[in-house]
Amino acid sequence: MLAFAANSVLARLALAPGDLGALGYTGIRLVSGAAMLAALLYIRRDGEARRLVAGSWPAAAALFAYALAFSIAYLLLGAGTGALILFVSVQFGILGWAVFRGDRPGPAEWLGLMLALAALVFLVAPGLVAPPWPGTLLMIVAGLSWAAYTLLGRGSRAPLADTAGNFIRCLPPALVLLIAGGLSQVHDLRLIACAIASGALASGLGYAIWYGVLPALSRTGAGLVQLTVPAIAAAGGVLLLGEPLTPRLLLASMGILGGVALALFAAEGRKKAKVRSPG
């Protein structure tokens, strides 16, 4: 979760000055992530290394859509606000998929979801401190894409190889982004270093670890642990970027995180009761 939060803070550090655009940032992030993961597979020299291009095209597409929408959104959003919108979108995406597959939420779950949705509407409602709608919509797209990536990774038996394969499949469009991003005009190497750190460490290594632990987590566990990310990202934004922690963001955060937590706990309880039922 520290890696996930670091992505939000690093994105704001790199994009806030305006010299490094979202396209170049995304390209560097994906290329450095692919390079790091390919190097790790080579060093291991085991069965996974022979499956260098593992993963899948659907997972790679979800990863690319997430990374690009994420970067563009952070041109407009603060670290804490962006992470909050991102991960509530992730939860709605995962829960929405469960409903689509026939899992019918109970009253407590609907209450939690409605509470989270109402708090999200409060966060983005027009006002002096409301986040801009374009950034909000792009971050929702990023969250839904990450939800798809998470769901596709639940069955991974070779998390390092699958994560590396997904990044490597993203290389062709990532190289296009590098060219379109005009990196030759970036004179502050610290901005490029932030993008490399995000790709190689927070994304490459972080996502491999996430794919590795996903099979051991229930849907509730996976959802609840991700709810810590907005708080970590907000703290990083305040300490490292000087971003304000507004009352509106605090109230919305409590409503969103509390609502999603209620829905997840209720879902887990309903499933356990169904398993214990003799019928």
Side-chain angles (χ1 to χ4, degrees):
M1 296 308 100
L2 288 173
F4 290 172
N7 272 324
S8 294
V9 176
L10 288 169
R12 286 295 295 159
L13 281 170
L15 296 171
D19 296 330
L20 179 60
L23 300 185
Y25 180 86
T26 305
I28 295 172
R29 184 182 177 191
L30 291 173
V31 170
S32 57
M36 170 65 80
L37 291 163
L40 287 175
L41 284 183
Y42 179 79
I43 292 171
R44 289 182 59 166
R45 295 178 180 273
D46 58 9
E48 285 192 5
R50 292 192 292 271
R51 298 177 61 249
L52 184 59
V53 188
S56 69
W57 285 110
L63 175 63
F64 183 80
Y66 151 75
L68 183 57
F70 176 93
S71 299
I72 300 174
Y74 265 129
L75 292 173
L76 303 169
L77 301 174
T81 302
L84 182 62
I85 296 171
L86 173 69
F87 282 96
V88 72
S89 302
V90 170
Q91 299 309 319
F92 272 98
I94 293 175
L95 292 171
W97 178 250
V99 172
F100 177 78
R101 294 291 299 270
D103 185 11
R104 295 293 178 259
E109 293 164 77
W110 282 119
L111 176 62
L113 292 175
M114 291 303 102
L115 175 61
L117 182 59
L120 180 61
V121 170
F122 168 69
L123 175 66
V124 301
L128 294 177
V129 291
W133 269 103
T136 298
L137 292 176
L138 282 166
M139 195 59 84
I140 290 173
V141 171
L144 294 177
S145 299
W146 182 256
Y149 188 74
T150 296
L151 290 168
L152 289 166
R154 287 295 301 274
S156 176
R157 296 183 178 179
L160 181 58
D162 285 339
T163 307
N166 293 333
F167 269 83
I168 290 170
R169 290 169 193 266
C170 289
L171 280 178
L175 293 175
V176 173
L177 293 181
L178 282 177
I179 296 172
L183 295 182
S184 60
Q185 301 177 5
V186 180
H187 302 295
D188 191 342
L189 296 181
R190 291 175 298 179
L191 307 183
I192 297 177
C194 286
I196 293 174
S198 175
L201 302 177
S203 297
L205 293 180
Y207 297 173
I209 294 171
W210 180 239
Y211 257 32
V213 302
L214 265 178
L217 294 175
S218 65
R219 191 187 74 185
T220 303
L224 288 175
V225 73
Q226 290 184 84
L227 294 184
T228 63
V229 175
I232 300 171
V238 172
L239 295 175
L240 300 176
L241 302 169
E243 295 179 351
L245 195 60
T246 65
R248 185 173 189 163
L249 177 58
L250 286 173
L251 289 173
S253 298
M254 289 188 289
I256 290 172
L257 301 183
V260 173
L262 172 62
L264 290 171
F265 275 122
E268 189 76 1
R270 176 172 53 84
K271 287 185 176 182
K272 288 181 179 179
K274 186 176 181 179
V275 170
R276 291 194 297 266
S277 175

